[in-house]
Structures are given as structure tokens and as C-alpha cells.
């Protein structure tokens, strides 16, 4: 495949459209990849042209960051690699200041991540999850200080409410802090809730969406069935879970899987490739994080952008996975907005007003021979 690179949000950071997730680097959680397999996946991703690596301080107890740092150093890729990592989770039970989003923990966590990664700076540093306590002002100031100190290049948010993301961006703009250039959020055919609030925010306020769990924890791979016999994968162990992120077995989702399987067959592609292609080409999406445990699985995923889904097939996927807009978002659809417009056509900008900037072609020669 030919990997393309695009700027992340309103930053100048060039990142590949497919990122390599490292939550599977290590087997501490009872699933994942051993070191040799993780290195092989890293190599396959780099050889395909990928440059964007996503990790977090608590992934597999720190193993993910450590291995990623080692793999980057082994190939001398630090200047080429775009490394994103996250803080918030607590590695020290009983110590309330070893977790959360306060200044004390941010400064502790960044130094620990830098040490595990074996690097002097982090390209993208993200708040991992809203802690419901720390004011956005206190989060943004130390992050801005870290950018000014050269330890961090860009900053982002993950798993936060829409109002919090909006407040954070406004504070950054008004106070001259480093702005939010990325939002890392769950998004897939089975999980489309971010479309109501976060996608409009991302497009209007310069924060590219980094998609996690684009395969709905493996549900969209096709290996799970409503009446599964045996253990097809880790989701089978969560069939009776109370964890919202792993409650994937529902009538709606089985209908999505069935339609996805039909579309994949018609295009001669794997279900995973169709699912990844769909989410990668949705509005507001900057990059999609791949979370493979096997090299063959990753190679299949890396071919997800080598084709386009025809309009009529995409419409079928959109229809089967569509979720009803909650209040007040159904007021913003055409059914009511047409009444606001008085029945005439009103738009933001005409088609072609701001064509995308894509740099490609042959470089000019500066040789005299």
C-alpha cells in the first residue's frame, strides 16, 4: 500500500492515516502479543510506511511504552516516528496523586513515560480520561509548560465530555496556551455516538479525531456469532460483562455484522478492511488506531485504504448502523432546519470554496547535469 500523511488537527504534525496501537504489546492482561510478535508487527507497520504510534503509560503495566521505545531505537526512527502517549491512570494504589489529571500527576507521569520510551520528547501527549475533578485550566497550564520546555510537541484529549473539550479549547485560545489538536475517541459502525457532538467540534475547532476500537473490540471481524460455540476471541469472555465498552453483543450489532459480511463479499475484501475503510473516511477522522495481536491480522488491516467503498454499499452500512439522534440534536437535522431557513437553500460555503490541500507529484530537479 501507499501510505499518505496528513496534518493532525490544526497542527503541522504529519501523521499517517493508520496508526499502530500498542495496547496489545505484552501479555499482562491475559491477551496480547509477546515481544517477538510485537516487534514483527512494528516492523510490518513501518515497512508499509506508517509513522504514527499510539500508547499509554498504563498499557500492559508500562510494557507497551518500554517495547515501543526499544523498537523505535533499534531502527533509529525517533526523528521519523510520531509517538503519542497518555496520562491519567494510577499505577500506585493508595496514592490519590499518582493518578488523575492534576498538575502533580501530569508532571510525574510525563517523566515516567519519557524514561520508559527512552526519548527526550513526546510528539502528542493526551489526557486519557476525564477525572471529573480537575479544572481544565489546571490541565492545560502544565501541558503548555511541557510544550514550552520541549518535553511535549502537541497535546490532545481522550474520553472526555464534549463540553469539557469545548471549554479546554476556548481556554487555550484565550490564554495563548498550546491548543488541543487531537481527540482520541471510540468510533466504529457499532459505536457512532460521537457523531452528534465531537465530529462537529473536531471539524470546527481543529482537533483531528483519532479513532480507537474501530473494530468494536473485534466484533466487526466476523469471528463472533450470536450463538457462538467455544471461544472465538477475548470478547467471548465479556458476554456477561457490565463494562459498557465490551457490551457489543446486541440485536443491532448482529444486524450490522450481517450487512458488513454481505458488503465485504460483494467487494472481495475482508470484513475488517471494510469496517476500517468506513470509519477512516468518515468526517472529522484524522487517523485510525490499529490494535492487532498477529502479524497477518495487521497486514490485512494495512490494506484497508487501498480501495473505496461504492456509494450504494456505503449507504447500506450507514443505514443498518445509524443511531437515532438524541435531544436536542434532532432539532438540527433538515426536517426542522428547513423551517428555520424558510424553505430556501442556505449553506455555509459553496462547493469547492475551500478545496483540500494535497501535496503530491514529482519533485523538481536542482541538479545542473
Amino acid at each position: 500500500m501507499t501510505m499518505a500523511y496528513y496534518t493532525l488537527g490544526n497542527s503541522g504534525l504529519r501523521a499517517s492515516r493508520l496508526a499502530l496501537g500498542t495496547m496489545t504489546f505484552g501479555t499482562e492482561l491475559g491477551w496480547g502479543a509477546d515481544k517477538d510478535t510485537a516487534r514483527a508487527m512494528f516492523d510490518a507497520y513501518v515497512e508499509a510506511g506508517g509513522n504514527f504510534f499510539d500508547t499509554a503509560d498504563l498499557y500492559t503495566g508500562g510494557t507497551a511504552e518500554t517495547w515501543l521505545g526499544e523498537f523505535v531505537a533499534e531502527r533509529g526512527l525517533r526523528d521519523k516516528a510520531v509517538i503519542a502517549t497518555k496520562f491519567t491512570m494510577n499505577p500506585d494504589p493508595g496514592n490519590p496523586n499518582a493518578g488523575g489529571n492534576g498538575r502533580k500527576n501530569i508532571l510525574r507521569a510525563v517523566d515516567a513515560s519519557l524514561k520508559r520510551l527512552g526519548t527526550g520528547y513526546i510528539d502528542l501527549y493526551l489526557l486519557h480520561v476525564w477525572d471529573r475533578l480537575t479544572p481544565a485550566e489546571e490541565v492545560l497550564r502544565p501541558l503548555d509548560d511541557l510544550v514550552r520546555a520541549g518535553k511535549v510537541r502537541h497535546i490532545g484529549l481522550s474520553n472526555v465530555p464534549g463540553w469539557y473539550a469545548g471549554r479546554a479549547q476556548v481556554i487555550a485560545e484565550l490564554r495563548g496556551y498550546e491548543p488541543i489538536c487531537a481527540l482520541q475517541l471510540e468510533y466504529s459502525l457499532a459505536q457512532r455516538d460521537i457523531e452528534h457532538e465531537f465530529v462537529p467540534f473536531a471539524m470546527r475547532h481543529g482537533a483531528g479525531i483519532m479513532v480507537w476500537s474501530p473494530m468494536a473490540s473485534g466484533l466487526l471481524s466476523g469471528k463472533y456469532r450470536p450463538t457462538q460455540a467455544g471461544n472465538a476471541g477475548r470478547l467471548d469472555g465479556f458476554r456477561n460483562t457490565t463494562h459498557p465498552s465490551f457490551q457489543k453483543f446486541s440485536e443491532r450489532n448482529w444486524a450490522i455484522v450481517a450487512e458488513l459480511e454481505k458488503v465485504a463479499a460483494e467487494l472481495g475484501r475482508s470484513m475488517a478492511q471494510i469496517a476500517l475503510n468506513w470509519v477512516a473516511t468518515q468526517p472529522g477522522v484524522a487517523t485510525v488506531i490499529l490494535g492487532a495481536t498477529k502479524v497477518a491480522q495487521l497486514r490485512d488491516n494495512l490494506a484497508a485504504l487501498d480501495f473505496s467503498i461504492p456509494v450504494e454499499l456505503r449507504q447500506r452500512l450507514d443505514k443498518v448502523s445509524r443511531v437515532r439522534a438524541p435531544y436536542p440534536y434532532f432539532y438540527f437535522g433538515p426536517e426542522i432546519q428547513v423551517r428555520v431557513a424558510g424553505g430556501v437553500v442556505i449553506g455555509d460555503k459553496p462547493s469547492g470554496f475551500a478545496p483540500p490541500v494535497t501535496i503530491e507529484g514529482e519533485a523538481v530537479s536542482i541538479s545542473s547535469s
Side-chain angles (χ1 to χ4, degrees), residues 254-264 266 313 316-317 320:
W254 292 130
I256 292 171
V257 169
E259 190 62 41
L260 178 62
E261 186 171 28
K262 294 175 185 177
V263 170
E266 290 182 41
L313 297 185
R316 283 164 49 183
L317 294 173
V320 73

Side-chain angles (χ1 to χ4, degrees), residues 63-368:
T63 296
E65 281 188 330
T66 300
W67 288 3
L68 175 61
E70 290 179 11
F71 300 160
V72 169
E74 286 171 0
R75 296 188 59 142
L77 296 176
R78 186 62 194 96
D79 286 342
K80 293 183 179 181
V82 176
I83 296 177
T85 193
K86 300 178 282 292
F87 66 90
T88 297
M89 301 305 181
N90 195 317
D92 185 14
N95 179 2
N97 284 306
N101 302 321
R103 179 181 286 103
K104 183 176 178 67
N105 185 51
I106 291 174
L107 298 180
R108 176 207 64 79
V110 71
D111 285 340
S113 285
L114 288 169
K115 183 177 180 179
R116 282 189 293 269
L117 288 164
T119 183
Y121 68 95
I122 294 164
D123 295 288
L124 177 64
Y125 201 40
L126 301 108
L127 177 153
H128 202 157
V129 62
W130 182 44
D131 67 6
R132 301 182 61 192
L133 296 170
T134 310
E137 293 90 338
E138 183 175 337
V139 175
L140 290 167
R141 179 56 191 268
L143 289 178
D144 183 67
D145 288 343
L146 290 174
V147 172
R148 293 172 188 267
K151 290 186 176 182
V152 168
R153 299 294 190 254
H154 300 277
I155 63 172
L157 302 173
S158 179
N159 305 314
V160 299
W163 67 262
Y164 186 92
R167 177 167 174 76
Q169 196 70 308
V170 168
I171 290 170
E173 292 172 356
L174 291 178
R175 298 192 177 184
Y177 294 161
E178 181 68 20
I180 307 300
C181 75
L183 291 175
Q184 189 170 133
L185 303 163
E186 182 177 7
Y187 191 30
S188 70
L189 280 164
Q191 175 52 272
R192 297 181 59 178
D193 291 344
I194 70 167
E195 293 176 0
H196 306 301
E197 190 74 31
F198 291 98
V199 170
F201 170 84
M203 293 191 295
R204 286 180 176 270
H205 298 290
I209 294 174
M210 299 171 63
V211 173
W212 65 265
S213 197
M215 296 296 298
S217 299
L219 177 76
L220 303 178
S221 67
K223 64 182 177 181
Y224 299 100
R225 299 297 173 181
T227 55
Q228 188 76 41
N231 187 1
R234 63 188 176 97
L235 256 188
D236 273 323
F238 292 101
R239 281 183 180 263
N240 299 313
T241 186
T242 57
H243 193 307
S245 290
F246 295 106
Q247 292 176 339
K248 304 299 186 186
F249 300 133
S250 66
E251 289 188 16
R252 171 182 175 270
N253 285 353
W254 292 130
I256 292 171
V257 169
E259 190 62 41
L260 178 62
E261 186 171 28
K262 294 175 185 177
V263 170
E266 290 182 41
L267 290 179
R269 293 281 177 172
S270 70
M271 292 173 65
Q273 289 175 352
I274 301 297
L276 291 169
N277 185 292
W278 180 90
V279 78
T281 51
Q282 286 290 100
V285 172
T287 190
V288 176
I289 301 169
L290 307 178
T293 57
K294 300 179 178 64
V295 177
Q297 185 182 45
L298 178 64
R299 292 189 188 281
D300 179 79
N301 290 176
L302 287 170
L305 299 183
D306 290 350
F307 64 98
S308 297
I309 301 175
V311 173
E312 63 276 13
L313 297 185
R314 191 179 192 94
Q315 289 174 342
R316 283 164 49 183
L317 294 173
D318 290 343
K319 182 179 180 180
V320 73
S321 64
R322 185 172 294 120
V323 292
R324 180 182 181 276
Y327 171 84
Y329 300 98
F330 55 73
Y331 271 87
F332 312 143
E335 299 84 355
I336 292 178
Q337 288 292 307
V338 166
R339 297 196 65 183
V340 176
V344 300
V345 177
I346 295 178
D348 177 21
K349 299 291 187 297
S351 177
F353 178 86
V357 176
T358 305
I359 301 171
E360 57 185 341
E362 297 293 328
V364 298
S365 173
I366 58 173
S367 172
S368 60

